[in-house]
Amino acid sequence: MAMRFRQHQDAAHTASRRLLLLFLGVLVLLVLAVNGALALVYRLTFPWAEGYPRLFFETNTALTLLFVLGGCWFEMLRLRQGGAHVARLAGGRPIDPPDGQPRDLYEKRLRNVVDEVAIAASMKPPPVYVLEREEAINAFAAGWDRDDAVIAVTRGALERLTRDELQGVVAHEFSHLFHGDTRLNMRLIGLVWGLQMLYNFGHSFVEPDERGRRGAGLVVGLALMGVGSLGWIAGRMLKAAVSRQREFLADASAVKYTRSIDGIGGALRKVADQAWRGRDHIHNAQAESLSHLFFVSRLRWNLFATHPPLGERIRRIYGFEVVPLAARVLPPEDDDAPATRPMTGLAPLTAAAGAGAGQGESESVRAGEGEVREALRHDVTQAPALVGPAQREREALARIARWQGPGERRAAVLGLLVTPGQDREWQAWAEETAGLAVAAAVRAELDHLTPATRLPVWEVMLRRSAKAPLAERRGLVEAARRIMTADGQVSPLDRLRWLAMRHLLSGDVPRPPPVAGDNDIAHLAKDVTIVTAFLARIIDARACELGQSGAWYQAVMQELWTPGAVPAWSAPDVDAWVQAWNRLMRLSAMQRPVLLKAWVDAAFQGVAEGAAPDSATCDALRLSALLMDTPSPKALADQYIDVR
């Protein structure tokens, strides 16, 4: 624990030095911008003047530095009071009054939630403040260290979030405390305060009072805001450069700590609802200076945004697009649980974050960009009681939908050809994907897929690969053959997959025209019989092993021919089967659905109402539909979840 603390301390010192260097760079740019702007104003005002007044630029520079550095020094003095000063600056009041009792049930629940997260984090429960006037869902943590840290939550968050959602928001803020972000943010407040001093001073004149009235200082305030706008821009750019990526890490940590995506995710979805309705504004006059501390920030301009886009944060948590949740006021509930009760599904922060606790500042920021996705995936899958297989499959599908690279396509296509439980085929897959950095991640995602999505994903990957160079497509087909023969045998379903694979990789190659007269089922009776007999080896495998036709084959033949003309079943030659398929693929657009419907109807006749044939049967029929470029009948289509 001590070692992790020292490592966090070293990372904080490194981050502080970087912040100081960045501030100096911004300050130089601000001085240049102010001098340039005033020089332009002087030229426009006195176009006849030669040169500039004596000490013109020196005076501008001195006054700019006086305001900025003086403002920084003054605010740093006030910030010595710690997080409590920041909370009061934002309009907060402590929820533990002198009598020691929260005012209402909302505050009681908040106090309990904070105490619970503190226990899990092995931290002293910080003082808690409520921003009473704020109806928007928001929160922040502030303080130089854990001893003077506070957590502040808006009234809107208390009244509109469920207990789990409030827990997710609080865990997000504890992540900032745990990773030392609040110390950096306190320094940033002081530096930005100086840069924005004139702008904020003018803004205080413009803001209405509690009754919504504006005084006579409106004109003065607008003038000061205009002069200070360059400092506002500089401060915004500094906050955006420092703060943005830390939010991704804090979101991921909230999922990690609570073992739930619905807590932090639900809170962000309700924020999205408020943003859509224009109700996400923080009314306090100091909200602009403190925007980088908040759980969410209202500014929409990407250049100046202190937080990542809200939609991107939600997508990273859920793995796919979700709609906002209505942010209605919820009735208060009596939170009778004592403050020391263990948190449901919430792991200790010190243990859960141990893997990343010793990492430096730059590694934490990088986690916010890329590694956070893996953290989310790993930790969600470690909580089966809260997130079931269906949820994990949906998240995997959302990530698979973004696979476009040749390595991802190759690993996915070949991985979905492997017969479950076949170690030799997996070994062959490992050899075929050796050198692909994405191979392990691809296999991890494929493990979440069910029979309803495996074949659709395989089709999507093949259709994307159809646009690849010819050499890549040929290599994929050859690798597929090696994997399917790795166990020393090739099943009929393997042969059907391989034929469908070649067909899909051919892309939009025009279908060859049929031989004259050979464009309907009657003229291709022999080929229909051969292909149906081959499919029977998959659909009626047990009967075919005994040399019998089986119920499915008989049902199809009786549907297509008169009972007396049904040919006896016999195992087809592989070469004859491929040639028969090639001819059947030339059937007219009106005849192909007829044949496919006969196959599907016969397969579903032998199962109970509401049930479906086994996955091998469904796969064989869907692959047949692919080969004939014909949509699957509804009964078959309902067995799959199509992906794009």
Side-chain angles (χ1 to χ4, degrees):
M1 184 69 180
M3 178 63 71
R4 285 201 298 269
F5 175 78
R6 287 194 295 272
Q7 289 170 330
H8 278 302
Q9 194 174 47
D10 292 341
H13 290 324
T14 301
S16 296
R17 287 193 294 270
R18 290 175 182 169
L19 175 61
L20 182 59
L21 291 175
L22 191 57
F23 170 76
L24 292 176
V26 169
L27 182 58
V28 170
L29 293 176
L30 178 61
V31 168
L32 294 176
V34 169
N35 276 292
L38 293 179
L40 178 61
V41 170
Y42 183 84
R43 279 298 174 200
L44 294 175
T45 306
F46 306 103
W48 59 84
E50 294 183 3
Y52 295 93
R54 185 171 179 267
L55 300 179
F56 177 82
F57 293 106
E58 290 83 350
T59 302
N60 295 338
T61 300
L63 288 175
T64 302
L65 293 177
L66 178 63
F67 268 100
V68 173
L69 298 180
C72 291
W73 175 78
F74 178 73
E75 185 59 23
M76 286 295 187
L77 287 179
R78 292 201 299 172
L79 287 173
R80 288 183 178 179
Q81 302 173 44
H85 166 71
V86 178
R88 290 192 297 269
L89 197 65
R93 64 164 178 81
I95 68 170
D96 293 325
D99 60 6
Q101 294 297 324
R103 292 188 180 182
D104 56 33
L105 295 179
Y106 292 114
E107 294 183 6
K108 179 180 180 182
R109 183 181 64 173
L110 173 62
R111 179 74 266 177
N112 287 344
V113 166
V114 171
D115 288 347
E116 290 166 357
V117 180
I119 290 171
S122 298
M123 294 171 60
K124 181 179 69 174
V128 184
Y129 285 72
V130 172
L131 309 185
E132 193 64 47
R133 291 182 56 200
E134 309 299 342
E135 294 301 317
I137 297 172
N138 226 317
F140 67 80
W144 290 104
D145 51 41
R146 299 179 186 181
D147 291 332
D148 72 349
V150 303
I151 285 181
V153 180
T154 63
R155 171 58 62 173
L158 293 187
E159 295 179 350
R160 288 171 167 80
L161 298 181
T162 66
R163 197 181 202 282
D164 288 344
E165 291 163 352
L166 184 63
Q167 194 177 81
V169 171
V170 170
H172 173 103
E173 300 307 330
F174 263 88
S175 172
H176 287 308
L177 292 173
F178 184 82
H179 291 100
D181 295 342
T182 54
R183 184 177 185 84
L184 187 68
N185 286 337
M186 294 288 281
R187 294 186 185 278
L188 193 55
I189 292 173
L191 298 180
V192 171
W193 185 274
L195 291 171
Q196 298 182 356
M197 185 174 180
L198 272 178
Y199 181 89
N200 290 336
F201 189 49
H203 193 268
S204 65
F205 283 96
V206 174
E207 275 293 300
D209 59 19
E210 293 185 359
R211 297 182 179 180
R213 299 176 303 184
R214 290 183 171 87
L218 177 62
V219 176
V220 176
L222 291 175
L224 290 174
M225 287 176 67
V227 175
S229 60
L230 290 176
W232 182 91
I233 292 173
R236 264 290 177 180
M237 294 180 66
L238 182 63
K239 289 193 291 186
V242 172
S243 304
R244 192 175 304 174
Q245 293 301 330
R246 296 173 177 274
E247 298 304 318
F248 284 137
L249 181 60
D251 287 345
S253 298
V255 175
K256 184 183 294 185
Y257 303 156
T258 62
R259 290 292 194 260
S260 170
I261 63 174
D262 291 325
I264 182 75
L268 288 171
R269 292 169 67 186
K270 288 184 177 179
V271 171
D273 177 74
Q274 286 195 327
W276 179 69
R277 300 175 187 276
R279 299 175 181 173
D280 59 336
H281 182 57
I282 298 294
H283 297 91
N284 185 271
Q286 309 304 329
E288 162 57 33
S289 300
L290 306 177
S291 60
H292 60 291
L293 272 68
F294 281 102
F295 176 61
V296 288
S297 178
R298 188 170 185 265
L299 194 69
R300 309 292 193 259
W301 303 337
N302 288 336
L303 178 62
F304 300 139
T306 58
H307 291 61
L310 187 59
E312 176 63 17
R313 291 173 68 182
I314 295 173
R315 277 193 297 273
R316 291 201 183 197
I317 289 172
Y318 285 96
F320 49 87
E321 298 282 352
V322 292
V323 298
L325 284 176
R328 302 186 182 93
V329 174
L330 303 175
E333 297 180 359
D334 190 1
D335 203 41
D336 288 328
T340 55
R341 74 175 185 182
M343 299 182 68
T344 303
L346 193 133
L349 272 65
T350 51
Q359 297 173 358
E361 161 67 18
S362 60
E363 293 181 4
S364 295
V365 174
R366 284 199 300 272
E369 293 177 328
E371 296 173 9
V372 64
R373 293 193 184 96
E374 176 62 19
L376 286 170
R377 183 192 70 78
H378 175 75
D379 287 299
V380 168
T381 56
Q382 296 304 309
L386 294 176
V387 181
Q391 175 68 23
R392 292 196 291 271
E393 183 179 36
R394 285 194 297 270
E395 294 171 357
L397 288 174
R399 291 185 287 268
I400 289 170
R402 296 191 288 269
W403 289 352
Q404 297 287 346
E408 292 167 327
R409 296 196 309 266
R410 180 182 178 87
V413 168
L414 298 179
L416 289 168
L417 286 173
V418 174
T419 305
Q422 275 290 350
D423 293 338
R424 291 184 182 179
E425 291 186 7
W426 275 121
Q427 178 61 38
W429 174 87
E431 295 172 359
E432 297 294 341
T433 57
L436 296 181
V438 298
V442 168
R443 179 171 179 182
E445 301 292 5
L446 298 184
D447 287 343
H448 294 311
L449 301 184
T450 61
T453 54
R454 288 177 63 86
L455 190 51
V457 168
W458 187 71
E459 295 169 22
V460 168
M461 293 297 110
L462 283 172
R463 294 188 191 280
R464 291 178 183 175
S465 299
K467 302 174 183 178
L470 180 61
E472 180 182 327
R473 286 180 280 156
R474 283 179 175 171
L476 195 58
V477 172
E478 293 169 359
R481 185 192 292 272
R482 288 191 289 269
I483 286 177
M484 288 189 293
T485 58
D487 60 352
Q489 57 183 358
V490 180
S491 68
L493 188 57
D494 285 338
R495 296 186 187 277
L496 192 59
R497 286 197 192 101
W498 188 75
L499 194 63
M501 180 178 178
R502 293 184 59 184
H503 177 64
L504 290 173
L505 287 177
S506 66
D508 297 326
V509 176
R511 181 183 294 274
V515 178
D518 285 352
N519 61 351
D520 60 45
I521 295 174
H523 285 88
L524 295 174
K526 182 178 179 181
D527 297 315
V528 169
T529 301
I530 292 174
V531 171
T532 304
F534 180 87
L535 292 175
R537 297 183 60 192
I538 304 170
I539 298 172
D540 267 336
R542 184 171 300 177
C544 292
E545 289 174 1
L546 299 175
Q548 301 171 2
S549 59
W552 179 81
Y553 177 83
Q554 289 293 330
V556 172
M557 291 292 102
Q558 290 174 9
E559 174 71 19
L560 297 176
W561 323 123
T562 60
V566 173
W569 179 87
S570 61
D573 177 75
V574 174
D575 291 335
W577 166 73
V578 173
Q579 307 251 345
W581 255 123
N582 289 334
R583 285 189 288 270
L584 283 189
M585 290 165 69
R586 302 181 188 182
L587 277 171
S588 68
M590 298 295 291
Q591 291 286 297
R592 279 177 264 146
V594 173
L595 179 57
L596 182 61
K597 186 175 184 302
W599 289 339
V600 173
D601 287 349
F604 278 79
Q605 283 175 5
V607 296
E609 184 176 356
D614 60 79
S615 60
T617 296
C618 292
D619 283 357
L621 295 172
R622 184 175 174 111
L623 291 168
S624 300
L626 288 173
L627 285 166
M628 291 195 290
D629 293 324
T630 302
S632 298
K634 185 178 185 305
L636 177 61
D638 288 346
Q639 308 310 312
Y640 294 92
I641 301 173
D642 284 324
V643 296
R644 291 175 173 81

